[in-house]
Amino acid sequence: MDYRDLVQYARSLYDAHGDKSEAEAARKAANARTAGRAEDARRWEKIRAQIREMRGAPQG
């Protein structure tokens, strides 16, 4: 998955799940790790990081 695909997937996940999208990506990464799919887990962690970046810093 190249960077452009990663950003597009993160955007789609965020649009579908809103503020819960980062937790969803974390859950998918954990499931992949548990199943022994290290490459999938790394991909989901990258997607999670992209979602975190899109959301920006918390306002407070």
Side-chain angles (χ1 to χ4, degrees):
M1 178 179 284
D2 69 9
Y3 181 74
R4 184 175 51 224
D5 292 337
L6 183 118
V7 170
Q8 184 176 16
Y9 199 90
R11 170 57 61 192
S12 295
L13 190 64
Y14 186 75
D15 288 346
H17 294 277
D19 288 338
K20 296 179 182 178
S21 60
E22 189 176 343
E24 179 69 13
R27 185 184 65 77
K28 289 181 180 282
N31 289 344
R33 238 185 328 279
T34 300
R37 297 187 323 265
E39 184 62 33
D40 286 344
R42 282 190 292 273
R43 190 172 304 123
W44 280 111
E45 287 298 335
K46 289 178 183 178
I47 291 168
R48 181 182 181 197
Q50 183 61 41
I51 291 168
R52 187 178 311 123
E53 186 176 317
M54 285 187 317
R55 290 177 63 199
Q59 303 297 312

